[in-house]
Amino acid sequence: MKKDIELYQADCFDVMNDLIKQDVKVDAIICDPPYLIKQADWDKEFNMPLAINLCYDLLKDNGNLILFQGWSNVLQTKELLDEKFEIQNWIVWDRIKGRGAKKNFVSTREDILWYCKGDKPTFNKIYSNIPKKTGGMGKKNGQECRALTNVWYDISPIVPWSKERNGHPTQKPLQLMERCVTIWTNEGDTVLDFTMGSGTTGEACKNLNRKFIGIEKEEEYFKIAKDRLKEGDGNVGQ
């Protein structure tokens, strides 16, 4: 019997190919792959065409594929995704606090591409963290907060003084990943993150009663994720 959480320290393409050979299928892939902006050695190159092909083989019919991307490479990724998947929406996460720039605009934008392997994706409607400013018709649905749009500016990024900060340079807030898991999966579903970093997606899955498969090549970040998720040696079924 396999675990609810499976962790692998290895090259993601090797593991994904192995999972395909085992006929593993997942309900959703939620992943924050490299943006190729050369912020670290692991961010200098990444075979996105291969990753997308493997995602297609690993996803169940009507499974969701959620990829985070940066503004400088999102269009290239979208073109690749359009060849195999059906686009559902293009979300922008406005991190409010951005990366500084002397000769350009401060970057606060991260793109979230939502695609489906089919035309019947899982979508659980939730509301934003932003209270409504007016009453009347706006509160007839019984909700105190505004509807969630495809521009998310109600979740702050990880900053140096954040309590959950663990040292990963592109760490995503747990609240953000819990939102993604809540919207695009159901309880009991299996989620794959093939570049899991420090394991935030895994923690979100654990908190929300989803199964999780996480892959991370860098030993430093794998150890953080492993400790965070309190797993054993990371092997399937052990």
Side-chain angles (χ1 to χ4, degrees):
M1 181 175 180
K2 293 186 177 181
K3 291 182 176 182
D4 286 347
I5 297 176
E6 302 172 21
L7 304 180
Y8 301 86
Q9 185 195 347
D11 181 276
C12 65
F13 302 118
D14 292 339
V15 177
M16 292 167 83
N17 271 310
D18 286 344
L19 293 172
I20 290 168
K21 291 176 183 177
Q22 297 172 47
D23 200 29
V24 171
K25 295 288 185 180
V26 299
D27 299 281
I29 298 173
I30 302 175
C31 190
D32 182 21
Y35 294 176
L36 305 180
I37 54 177
K38 301 179 181 179
Q39 292 294 306
D41 288 341
W42 49 262
D43 193 47
K44 292 179 180 178
E45 59 180 346
F46 186 76
N47 192 337
M48 185 60 78
L50 177 57
I52 289 172
N53 285 333
L54 294 173
C55 285
Y56 187 87
D57 290 339
L58 282 165
L59 270 176
K60 295 179 181 178
D61 290 343
N62 295 312
N64 281 320
L65 174 58
I66 312 300
L67 290 183
F68 283 73
Q69 290 287 270
W71 66 266
S72 60
N73 69 332
V74 65
L75 286 178
Q76 294 92 325
T77 300
K78 182 181 181 299
E79 288 177 357
L80 293 168
L81 289 167
D82 286 340
E83 294 177 5
K84 300 186 77 71
F85 297 91
E86 296 295 326
I87 189 167
Q88 305 300 311
N89 213 313
W90 182 340
I91 298 100
V92 173
W93 176 40
D94 181 355
R95 295 180 288 113
I96 308 301
K97 294 182 179 295
R99 301 182 183 95
K102 293 182 179 180
K103 298 182 179 181
N104 206 330
F105 300 107
V106 173
S107 180
T108 64
R109 169 181 182 148
E110 293 196 34
D111 297 89
I112 306 172
L113 297 174
W114 170 24
Y115 278 78
C116 180
K117 184 182 175 180
D119 58 4
K120 297 178 181 178
T122 295
F123 177 73
N124 299 308
K125 184 175 180 178
I126 63 173
Y127 288 79
S128 72
N129 299 321
I130 304 168
K132 293 176 180 176
K133 293 183 178 179
T134 58
M137 292 292 292
K139 291 190 177 179
K140 274 199 169 182
N141 61 6
Q143 298 293 328
E144 295 295 324
C145 291
R146 295 177 61 185
L148 189 64
T149 72
N150 59 3
V151 178
W152 297 355
Y153 51 89
D154 58 337
I155 296 178
S156 298
I158 300 293
V159 292
W161 53 89
S162 297
K163 290 183 179 180
E164 63 180 287
R165 184 170 179 261
N166 60 33
H168 194 287
T170 62
Q171 181 186 354
K172 295 296 185 286
L174 179 59
Q175 185 182 27
L176 176 66
M177 301 318 297
E178 286 184 337
R179 172 176 287 180
C180 292
V181 170
T182 298
I183 293 172
W184 289 304
T185 69
N186 296 314
E187 285 197 25
D189 281 356
T190 299
V191 177
L192 168 67
D193 184 346
F194 56 84
T195 58
M196 72 169 174
S198 59
T200 306
T201 305
E203 184 173 355
C205 288
K206 187 175 181 179
N207 293 345
L208 296 167
N209 299 315
R210 274 70 165 173
K211 298 175 183 178
F212 177 69
I213 302 173
I215 311 168
E216 175 55 43
K217 186 176 182 179
E218 300 293 325
E219 182 178 7
E220 175 186 0
Y221 304 129
F222 180 83
K223 286 181 177 178
I224 294 172
K226 184 177 175 182
D227 181 65
R228 192 175 185 181
L229 300 173
K230 294 182 172 57
E231 280 304 291
D233 60 8
N235 294 327
V236 176
Q238 296 184 2

